[in-house]
Amino acid sequence: MTVNTEDKGEARVPVEANTSVGERAVKDTTKQFAAQLVVGAVAVGFSAWLNRLLPAKELALWPVCTSIGGLVATFASFGLGDTFVRLVPSLIARGEREEASAVLRTGLLTNVLACAVLSVAVYTLATPMARYLLHDVAQAPLVQSMAMAAFLQAVAERLSWAQSAVQQFGKKAITVVVTGVTRVPLAVALYLAMDGPRGVILALTIVPLLSCVLSLWWLWPHLRVTRRLYSWRSLLSFSLPYYGVSLIGLLRGRVNNLVIALLVKPEVLATYFVAESVSGYVDALNGFAIKAITPKIAEKNALEPAAARQVFAKCLRYAFIFLLPLHVMVAVAATPLLRLYGGAKYADAGAVLVVMCAGLFIGVLYQVHRAHIHVLAKPAHLFWLGVTGGAGNVISMLLLVPPLGALGAALSDGTVALMQLVISGAILRRTLRLIYNYRAWLSGIFASAVAGLLLWSAGPLWQEHAWRVLPLLVVVSLCYVLALTRQLTTSDVVVMTSALPARLRNSRGGEAVVASLTWLLVSNGKRET
């Protein structure tokens, strides 16, 4: 049996009338981002409580456990997640629902069996893993507990890929909200109830189990269409190229926590984990912005290929005027934010968060280049970008983490992002004559510097009471937004509003925001450019 990937002209996935591919992609991305916002808003207080409650050595168990789960998920994937996304929507569009169901059943069964085998290996190797990752052989029973947590985390991730394939993005967002809101409060409750870190591991086992139950419940209508299985040989041979890309991606991010745990003490990993958690809120916004613009770039290139250069320049301009100030303000407020989120024992890690913010913004610039490479260049270029990023990440971690600890890990992230930015720029120049709007960059840098200085000048207000930095961040942000209207044009407002889902854009709140922005532009004498 062979895998048929041809798309017939008369078969299409049902979509809303007059809805573009970019609009649908942004709508789906917005659902996921909204779910992350809800989880972040609800869980941030409990996360701060947990960070303060647990000693650093015990808190390090959290990133070790989730990283082991990520490792199991990646090695057990066999590239089938990408295969699901590639094949299943096409099969459903052609009316071949039994074939789509067989692909899902076979792929998920393969994933579950592989996850089980790898989790048994984790259980068996608990003693050496405790020795090298936790630097304490007595923690071997905790690593054995992590085996079941890793199995359920990996299965939940595989089921999430299947939901993407059948386009259950709304249901995925619900799952993210339910599990995200539950995870940290449950960890706090079980830690107190069980008087120890075993309660945290139990929470990291129960929550992915809940995710698996919800995902299976929603996937069941697609899985029960047929009882037969697809050809393992055909499915795996089709998936292996994607598997290689997944394994390379493993070197870029998921092994970071394990490398840190291997090279230094658990307390250093806990410091990196807390700083990374704070920067993660910024990174979530970065990810939403990049995922929102990628389909727009593809559509613009298909309709107006000559406009690709202007689109590239505009994307970078928006990065400097919208995202750079956010990174600068979080960097300036690094110390009080860490005091709030992790307690006084992590206040000295401000430099780590500062370096992380710098690396994240460099990563934004790289992702803008990568998004254009994805649309305009050859797929092989993305592969080699992944190879160089993975190799550079491992090498820089090995060189920088032992002498510098958490700061070295943050420097490694920024170094790899800078390296990939340079390489992606060189690749893109071979396809596109790039336009760099240096004037817009300087405006964004100057405005970000002013916002950062305003926040820094208020430093004495938060020296004794770290919570005061939060209203100050809001005030400075509002001042920046008002000042930003002097840099925007009516075309910018059109671009920003077109990036929103139609339902939000056409709502009363959306229309009010657009009207307010337009009024501010008119009051500042701005015209269409």
Side-chain angles (χ1 to χ4, degrees):
M1 184 180 294
T2 59
V3 179
N4 182 11
T5 61
E6 295 181 0
D7 293 323
K8 297 180 180 179
E10 66 275 9
R12 292 288 184 268
V13 179
V15 296
E16 299 175 9
N18 301 322
T19 302
S20 67
V21 175
E23 178 70 40
R24 296 194 307 275
V26 173
K27 180 180 179 180
D28 296 334
T29 303
T30 303
K31 289 179 181 178
Q32 301 298 314
F33 181 64
Q36 291 178 335
L37 282 180
V38 172
V39 171
V42 174
V44 64
F46 286 98
S47 297
W49 187 7
L50 186 70
N51 295 337
R52 291 165 176 265
L53 183 66
L54 270 66
K57 189 173 182 178
E58 294 181 356
L59 182 61
L61 294 172
W62 185 295
V64 168
C65 182
T66 55
S67 296
I68 292 174
L71 207 65
V72 170
T74 302
F75 278 108
S77 69
F78 296 111
L80 289 167
D82 293 286
T83 299
F84 290 161
V85 174
R86 173 80 182 271
L87 295 182
V88 172
S90 179
L91 292 171
I92 293 175
R94 294 200 296 264
E96 301 177 31
R97 296 184 61 84
E98 289 190 6
E99 202 79 351
S101 178
V103 169
L104 287 173
R105 291 168 66 93
T106 306
L108 289 175
L109 179 60
T110 303
N111 289 149
V112 171
L113 291 175
C115 289
V117 171
L118 292 171
S119 298
V120 170
V122 171
Y123 185 90
T124 305
L125 299 172
T127 299
M129 291 179 71
R131 178 183 296 114
Y132 292 111
L133 296 179
L134 302 178
H135 305 274
D136 186 359
V137 179
Q139 302 290 345
L142 284 176
V143 177
Q144 290 177 334
S145 301
M146 292 180 189
M148 178 56 71
F151 170 74
L152 292 171
Q153 289 173 35
V155 173
E157 183 174 318
R158 295 297 95 207
L159 291 171
S160 178
W161 275 96
Q163 284 187 283
S164 295
V166 297
Q167 301 183 23
Q168 292 182 341
F169 298 105
K171 292 181 174 63
K172 276 186 63 176
I174 294 173
T175 304
V176 169
V177 170
V178 172
T179 57
V181 168
T182 306
R183 183 182 294 109
V184 183
L186 182 62
V188 172
L190 290 177
Y191 179 84
L192 295 174
M194 301 180 72
D195 194 27
R198 190 174 294 274
V200 175
I201 306 301
L202 181 59
L204 293 176
T205 305
I206 293 174
V207 172
L209 175 62
L210 177 60
S211 175
C212 291
V213 171
L214 290 174
S215 298
L216 280 172
W217 176 267
W218 283 319
L219 283 170
W220 183 243
H222 297 276
L223 297 174
R224 69 182 182 186
V225 174
T226 184
R227 292 186 177 182
R228 70 179 179 87
L229 296 177
Y230 206 81
S231 167
W232 259 291
R233 183 176 181 179
S234 298
L235 197 60
L236 291 178
S237 63
F238 184 82
S239 302
L240 284 180
Y242 299 117
Y243 190 39
V245 174
S246 298
L247 293 179
I248 291 171
L250 184 69
L251 299 176
R252 178 64 182 91
R254 282 191 155 175
V255 297
N256 281 12
N257 287 331
L258 296 181
V259 171
I260 297 171
L262 184 66
L263 296 176
V264 292
K265 296 180 180 180
E267 290 82 358
V268 176
L269 175 59
T271 300
Y272 180 81
F273 173 67
V274 171
E276 188 183 40
S277 298
V278 175
S279 68
Y281 292 97
V282 178
D283 197 33
L285 182 59
N286 294 343
F288 169 72
I290 297 300
K291 289 179 182 178
I293 67 169
T294 301
K296 295 293 183 181
I297 293 169
E299 282 190 336
K300 192 72 173 179
N301 184 62
L303 297 174
E304 303 176 48
R309 295 168 60 199
Q310 286 76 17
V311 172
F312 175 79
K314 184 164 286 189
C315 287
L316 286 181
R317 173 173 173 259
Y318 289 156
F320 274 91
I321 65 175
F322 289 120
L323 295 178
L324 179 58
L326 174 66
H327 292 73
V328 169
M329 286 189 286
V330 171
V332 171
T335 298
L337 288 176
L338 288 172
R339 284 170 55 195
L340 284 173
Y341 195 73
K345 59 180 176 288
Y346 299 110
D348 294 336
V352 177
L353 183 53
V354 170
V355 173
M356 281 184 176
C357 288
L360 284 177
F361 184 72
I362 295 172
V364 169
L365 302 181
Y366 160 65
Q367 289 296 336
V368 171
H369 284 73
R370 187 185 184 280
H372 284 77
I373 291 173
H374 184 78
V375 174
L376 301 171
K378 298 177 181 178
H381 290 142
L382 293 177
F383 173 79
W384 288 112
L385 272 174
V387 170
T388 55
N393 181 62
V394 173
I395 293 171
S396 59
M397 291 282 284
L398 292 175
L399 292 175
L400 296 174
V401 170
L404 299 175
L407 182 61
L411 284 170
S412 171
D413 295 337
T415 301
V416 173
L418 181 60
M419 178 186 70
Q420 291 192 294
L421 174 61
V422 173
I423 295 173
S424 61
I427 292 173
L428 202 54
R429 285 190 187 93
R430 301 175 62 182
T431 307
L432 184 70
R433 185 178 177 184
L434 303 181
I435 297 178
Y436 293 112
N437 188 345
Y438 296 109
R439 182 178 180 182
W441 295 12
L442 290 174
S443 297
I445 292 171
F446 177 75
S448 301
V450 172
L453 285 172
L454 285 174
L455 193 60
W456 176 79
S457 65
L461 296 177
W462 70 61
Q463 292 298 327
E464 298 296 329
H465 303 284
W467 65 266
R468 292 177 179 174
V469 75
L470 299 178
L472 287 171
L473 279 169
V474 173
V475 171
V476 173
S477 298
L478 289 175
C479 292
Y480 179 82
V481 169
L482 290 174
L484 182 63
T485 58
R486 304 188 66 85
Q487 297 293 326
L488 298 178
T489 65
T490 50
S491 63
D492 292 326
V493 175
V494 172
V495 170
M496 288 186 291
T497 54
S498 66
L500 298 174
R503 185 178 299 178
L504 177 61
R505 185 170 63 244
N506 298 327
S507 66
R508 290 184 178 180
E511 291 176 351
V513 170
V514 174
S516 300
L517 284 173
T518 304
W519 178 81
L520 285 170
L521 294 178
V522 172
S523 66
N524 287 326
K526 294 290 180 181
R527 298 181 180 179
E528 180 70 37
T529 60

